[in-house]
Every structure is written in C-alpha cells, then in structure tokens.
Amino acid sequence: MLNQLSWKVGGQQGEGIDSTGEIFATALNRLGYYLYGYRHFSSRIKGGHTNYKIRVTTKPVEAISDDLDILIAFDQETIDLNSGELREGGIIIADSKFDPQVKKENVHFFSVPITEIAQNLGTSLMKNMVAVGVTSAILDLPVDSFKELVEEMFGKKGQEVVNKNIEAIIQGAEYIRNEAKGSLDDFVLARADGKKRLFMTGNEAVALGAIAAGVRFMPAYPITPASEIMEYLIKKLPELGGAVIQTEDEIAAVTMAIGASYGGVRSMTSTSGPGLSLMQEAIGLAGITETPIVIVDVQRGGPSTGLPTKNEQSDFNAAINGSHGEIPKIVIAPNSVESAFYDTAEAFNLAEKYQCPVIVLTDLSLGMSKQTVEPLDNSRIEIDRGKFMGDQELPAIEGMFKRYEFTEDGISPRVIPGQKYGIHHVTGVEHAENGRPSEAPAIRKKMMEKRLNKINNVTFKDPVLKQAPHEEADLLVVGIGSTRGVITEAIGRLEKDGLKINQAHVRLVYPFPADELKELMEKAKKVVVVENNGTGQLANLIKLNVGMGEKVEKLLKYDGNPFLPSEIYNGIKGLI
C-alpha cells in the first residue's frame, strides 16, 4: 500500500488534459489527500504536447516528485517524452486508438480503448472521465468519490449528461480491473484523513489576498502566466462593488492603477516580464508622485517573448533597477501559496505606508501549480493606510496643502482630490512641498533625500524565512520564491547523509535584508544559492549587499522547468 504516488496525464493541448488532471486532483483533495500539481503546457492555444503531473500523499507536500508511478497517455508523444520518468514497475495506460508503442522495460503496460468507450457513450469528449475511472480502479478508490464532483460539473447540462459521465468512469474502472486481474495490488493508495482543505494556485491566492486587503480596481492586460489573477478578479470584484478593466496594453494598465490609487482606491495590476518592462516609465511616475501602487509580476522565461509558458526567476534585477532615475521601491517575493495570500495583502499596506510602488514577485511554478492549502485566515489581515488623512483630520488652511511636506520620517500626509483644505499640485516633474514644479537645487536635493530615505526603515515581518537549527553549519542553502518546498525536501535527504545544513529563503528582495542573511552566512562554511535563472541574480545581490563572495556558490537551472528534489540534492553534492 502506497503513502504517496506520482501520476501524470499527457496529450495534445486542447484535448482535455487539464480537465482530466483537475477532476482527478479535486476528487482526491476532497478525500483528504495532500496534492501538488504542476502543469506543463505549450505556448500555443491549441496543439503541442501538454501534461499535468500530480503528486498525491497522505502528508503535506510542497514539491513535484522526481519520478512517476502512473502515466496516462492520450498520444504516442506522451509516451516518448515522459516514460523515462517512470520508476521500475510503474504503469503506462495508453489509449488504444493510436496503437501505442512502449520501449521502456520493467513497467506495466495497458492499451485501453479510452476513446472508444467514450464514443460508445456518446462523445469522445468523455475520454477524460474514462481515464479517471481507470486511475480510480488502480488506486482502489471508490467510484462514488467522483460522483459528487461530476454532478457539480455537469448538473446544469441535465441528469442524462451527468449519468453518462459517471458511466464513463465506471466503464473505465471495470475495463482495467478485468484486464489487470489483480496484478496492480501494489498501487493501492493508503486512505487519507478525510479533512477538508483548499486546493488552489498561487495566482488564486494573490487574487484572494488582494480582495482581503480591500482592492477594488484592477486594470490589466492578459499575459501568461499572470492572467489567472485578472480572470479571478473579473468574477469577484463586481460582487464587491469593484471593477476590472482589460486595457489595450500594460502601459495603460499601470497608469490607470496609479490614477485610481491617487484617487484613494486600493488598486493593482498584474503582469509578467515583458509587461513589467513596459510599465517601467509609469513606475517612475508613481515614485516621484509618491503614489501607492501594487504590481504583481509572475515571472516566466525571458527575454522578450521567451518561454511564455515555462518557469524562470529572472526579473529580480528588472524589478529592483528597471525604472529610470532613482525612486523608492519595495520588492517582495512570496514563497508558498499561503504566503502569496498574506504577502499580497501586506503589499497594499507597504505601498500606502511608504507611498511608493510595491512589486510582488512570484513565478510560474508558484503562480500556476495547484497545491493543498490549509484554510486561509482573514482575521490575520490588518489594513494600514499610512498617513492617509480623512476630512476631519485636515486643518483649515489658506492656500495649498503640502502634499510633499518634508517630515522627519520622509513620509508626507496624503489626501485625495476633492478634499476640502487638501488642494495641491501633482506632476511628474520635480516639485516643492505643495507639488508646484521646482528646479531649485536645494529643493531638488532635499526632495530626493526625502523620497529615498523613507524606505530605509521598511518593516516587513520575516524578510528572510529561516530554518536554521545548527549553530555551526556545513552549508547554508539560500532560495527565493517557489523553490522553498523543493529545497526543504532536498535538505532532508542531504542531512540523512550526515551534513549540517541551514536554510534561508529571501522574502524581501528590496531593500535587501543584508543583516538577516549575514548572520546566517557567518555560521556556515559554504553558501549555495538556488535559483531559476542563468546568471545567478540572487547570488549576485547577496555578494553586493552582504559580501563574503568567496563562500557563495550558485546552483542554477534555466531550461524552463522547476527544480526537482534530486537535482538540488545532486547539485549540492557536486558543489561541496
């Protein structure tokens, strides 16, 4: 009996691969299993190989698995590209429609008339249900586990459609039971605890975090892998009195968000690398006008169009340095679905407290991987609007309000257009305290210092997430973003080899938490920085801000895929 297994379905994009994985995973989530699902898909709208790999366990899991137990193939390409992952004794279930050929040895192979069964029931579209039925029989899961889900999915189409889809699951299960005749007993899955948990992506968590923080306006231009954030908010914000506008490009999106924020509404936009590049001039506008704005950048493979549907972490430098001139800016990097929720909510507080752009950096792996998540706690979300002044707080004055008043902490009182006694000027050129343009050297110098100095005291809880049980460590492994879970799993294996390893995960990218990392680096003989890019941007930030470059080694991956635990394990073994 298995406590965990890895399952993958593959075929051509557009033939129901994603829905097959979703049905399988959602049903298991409701049974109380922990899941981690990674979608590998083509940048084409239709066609091209795609697959959905899901790790199922009875304990929490935060990484994709190294190998594969069961492969469901809707075409020959799926077998050719993915059978190498199968462990010895694994299973290939292939649709007999394409006369499947398997060269890999020491695996169970079944050619199943998946499409034929579906067509006999009315339509080949139900082949995903047949595949789910085959899987349920192999894992010894009751067909009833899927009935409630099918009724939710197809109930609006009538009971006949529901019944046919359930029958497709039943016939798929019966076929493989008859074919295998008990030879697959080793694949029976241990029963889960049955507890209800969330099953969601990082993109969905970002959208929920924004709602919890009170966002009510989102202009955005669709771009993979960030579009899901906009799509989620399109469904939810109107119910809350808010609005989402699909703009003509990213420049319009970010400037609309700046305008709405200037008007007092919590606003955001989301994008990926190319879109962030287009937004950079407007980010400078938000910087000099000290307008709060939250931008979520779900990183993907670059440069240019690059790898739009593949994973990469290569926008750190663009997020920190991308805009022209010198402005205050805060960059944070959530490292789990849960932190994507809480950190996004906190980003709005940071933006308003320090009156500057805040960039939330996630990546495709975190944004689009679907994971089991414990219930999110809205009571942990606190709203802090900083020095936002209500009508009652504004003193009766003659003349113009000092929107950019020089203060001890560099942060000025903020008003919105139309408030009595709050009249001021706003412009993208340098200005005096009331916003009027000014090129006076003394004012320019003082205004620059005011803007730049105000983020010197940024407070962000746990800017470096630490797992550091050793006072003196052989190694410190540093990561960022989606790599936390896979690094943790690799460290567990390395410690079984006798190594003493501490772990650090950077959550505040700018201003860089040098002191927090320095303390950990001093305790380690060597530092290995794990990141998904080709130049080691995080490692270079560490050398620039902390020093100790002689200790720092880079473990990089930039082929479009996230790290596997074995790759980090073997990579670190090769560096020490």
Side-chain angles (χ1 to χ4, degrees):
M1 185 170 288
L2 299 175
N3 288 312
Q4 74 160 344
L5 68 83
S6 183
W7 176 95
K8 179 186 280 188
V9 59
Q12 290 298 300
Q13 195 150 284
E15 64 174 344
I17 303 304
D18 206 45
S19 62
T20 306
E22 280 295 293
I23 295 163
F24 172 66
T26 303
L28 267 68
N29 179 68
R30 292 183 180 187
L31 290 171
Y33 292 98
Y34 292 89
L35 303 156
Y36 187 100
Y38 182 75
R39 291 177 281 173
H40 178 284
F41 56 106
S42 167
S43 58
R44 283 175 275 180
I45 300 299
K46 186 171 184 178
H49 175 70
T50 182
N51 64 63
Y52 195 164
K53 186 175 183 180
I54 299 169
R55 190 176 187 182
V56 186
T57 80
T58 54
K59 295 181 179 178
V61 62
E62 292 186 89
I64 200 166
S65 62
D66 290 315
D67 55 12
L68 191 60
D69 296 289
I70 300 172
L71 175 64
I72 308 287
F74 284 174
D75 62 7
Q76 184 63 43
E77 190 176 9
T78 296
I79 297 174
D80 297 340
L81 292 176
N82 299 282
S83 60
E85 287 180 57
L86 272 171
R87 66 172 174 81
E88 189 169 324
I91 301 173
I92 296 177
I93 303 290
D95 192 342
S96 56
K97 176 186 176 184
F98 64 89
D99 188 22
Q101 304 297 314
V102 175
K103 297 177 182 177
K104 188 176 178 69
E105 298 179 347
N106 299 321
V107 296
H108 301 281
F109 168 62
F110 298 97
S111 178
V112 178
I114 294 175
T115 298
E116 183 182 336
I117 291 173
Q119 286 175 330
N120 290 340
L121 288 168
T123 171
S124 61
L125 294 175
M126 288 189 292
K127 66 182 184 181
N128 54 3
M129 294 298 178
V130 180
V132 167
V134 171
T135 303
S136 69
I138 294 171
L139 305 184
D140 194 29
L141 297 173
V143 172
D144 285 351
S145 307
F146 299 91
K147 284 185 176 177
E148 180 183 339
L149 188 58
V150 171
E151 287 171 355
E152 288 177 16
M153 293 175 65
F154 300 107
K156 291 181 180 178
K157 296 183 178 180
Q159 194 58 43
E160 184 180 356
V161 175
V162 170
N163 292 342
K164 284 187 175 181
N165 277 277
I166 291 173
E167 182 62 23
I169 294 174
I170 292 171
Q171 290 196 20
E174 288 177 346
Y175 186 93
I176 198 67
R177 284 196 190 101
N178 293 332
E179 194 73 10
K181 296 184 176 127
S183 65
L184 302 177
D185 291 346
D186 291 343
F187 286 85
V188 173
L189 196 57
R191 292 294 176 253
D193 61 14
K195 291 184 179 177
K196 302 291 185 187
R197 301 180 182 88
L198 300 170
F199 182 52
M200 62 192 299
T201 66
N203 281 339
E204 291 168 336
V206 164
L208 279 172
I211 290 172
V215 72
R216 289 297 180 267
F217 183 57
M218 184 201 194
Y221 184 75
I223 184 171
T224 304
S227 296
E228 288 178 339
I229 300 171
M230 180 178 70
E231 290 162 4
Y232 190 92
L233 290 175
I234 284 173
K235 298 174 187 171
K236 299 298 179 184
L237 275 190
E239 299 173 8
L240 301 168
V244 176
I245 292 179
Q246 180 178 322
T247 57
E248 65 268 34
D249 57 32
E250 288 87 349
I251 299 171
V254 70
T255 48
M256 275 191 189
I258 291 169
S261 184
Y262 177 67
V265 177
R266 282 199 157 182
S267 310
M268 68 176 292
T269 187
S270 63
T271 189
S272 191
L276 183 66
S277 297
L278 288 172
M279 293 179 182
Q280 295 292 3
E281 182 181 354
I283 290 172
L285 175 66
I288 198 167
T289 60
E290 303 188 48
T291 306
I293 177 69
V294 172
I295 301 165
V296 180
D297 175 18
V298 188
Q299 299 169 90
R300 68 186 201 186
S304 188
T305 306
L307 297 172
T309 60
K310 301 294 183 291
N311 188 55
E312 200 163 275
Q313 300 173 313
S314 53
D315 293 346
F316 304 141
N317 291 339
I320 295 170
N321 304 311
S323 192
H324 54 290
E326 297 168 311
I327 59 167
K329 189 189 295 179
I330 298 170
V331 182
I332 62 177
N335 54 54
S336 67
V337 172
E338 287 93 337
S339 70
F341 171 76
Y342 295 112
D343 289 355
T344 299
E346 182 61 15
F348 289 90
N349 290 340
L350 293 171
E352 292 204 297
K353 185 175 180 182
Y354 298 98
Q355 298 177 16
C356 69
V358 175
I359 298 177
V360 181
L361 274 179
T362 70
D363 51 57
L364 182 144
S365 185
L366 173 57
M368 300 193 74
S369 294
K370 207 161 188 177
Q371 305 170 40
T372 300
V373 180
E374 297 295 339
L376 301 171
D377 184 2
N378 274 308
S379 69
R380 285 176 54 186
I381 306 300
E382 297 180 358
I383 306 297
D384 181 355
R385 305 212 64 177
K387 291 187 178 180
F388 192 103
M389 298 187 73
D391 292 341
Q392 303 302 319
E393 298 169 290
L394 279 171
I397 58 171
E398 291 186 6
M400 295 180 70
F401 176 75
K402 291 184 177 180
R403 166 66 184 93
Y404 304 103
E405 182 179 1
F406 296 120
T407 61
E408 191 171 332
D409 61 5
I411 301 167
S412 310
R414 176 174 165 238
V415 295
I416 60 173
Q419 280 184 275
K420 190 176 182 181
Y421 306 122
I423 189 169
H424 63 280
H425 193 91
V426 62
T427 172
V429 300
E430 191 56 276
H431 44 258
E433 287 179 287
N434 60 11
R436 291 282 192 193
S438 173
E439 295 179 352
I443 290 179
R444 160 68 175 179
K445 182 172 183 294
K446 202 169 178 180
M447 199 59 75
M448 280 286 285
E449 291 168 352
K450 162 188 147 53
R451 287 193 295 263
L452 296 177
N453 291 338
K454 65 185 180 181
I455 63 166
N456 287 339
N457 298 313
V458 166
T459 54
F460 182 64
K461 187 179 179 183
D462 298 326
V464 176
L465 190 64
K466 305 170 190 171
Q467 184 66 35
H470 306 292
E471 189 60 35
E472 299 291 332
D474 299 312
L475 198 64
L476 172 68
V477 181
V478 184
I480 191 166
S482 64
T483 58
R484 184 176 65 81
V486 68
I487 290 175
T488 300
E489 188 163 332
I491 287 176
R493 299 181 192 181
L494 289 161
E495 292 205 313
K496 288 180 181 176
D497 293 344
L499 291 168
K500 295 180 179 177
I501 303 178
N502 288 334
Q503 180 180 358
H505 222 72
V506 176
R507 300 179 66 242
L508 179 62
V509 186
Y510 189 82
F512 199 78
D515 292 341
E516 298 263 346
L517 268 182
K518 183 180 179 183
E519 180 184 347
L520 290 172
M521 290 172 68
E522 288 175 340
K523 296 178 179 177
K525 295 175 184 174
K526 185 167 285 191
V527 178
V528 175
V529 183
V530 179
E531 51 187 315
N532 287 113
N533 59 61
T535 58
Q537 293 185 25
L538 177 61
N540 293 335
L541 283 172
I542 292 171
K543 291 178 186 176
L544 177 67
N545 290 281
V546 184
M548 291 186 266
E550 72 283 357
K551 281 188 176 185
V552 176
E553 300 277 3
K554 303 173 185 175
L555 181 55
L556 311 177
K557 184 174 182 180
Y558 40 91
D559 65 357
N561 295 309
F563 279 104
L564 297 173
S566 60
E567 291 174 327
I568 295 178
Y569 172 84
N570 293 325
I572 289 176
K573 293 282 269 187
L575 290 172
I576 58 177

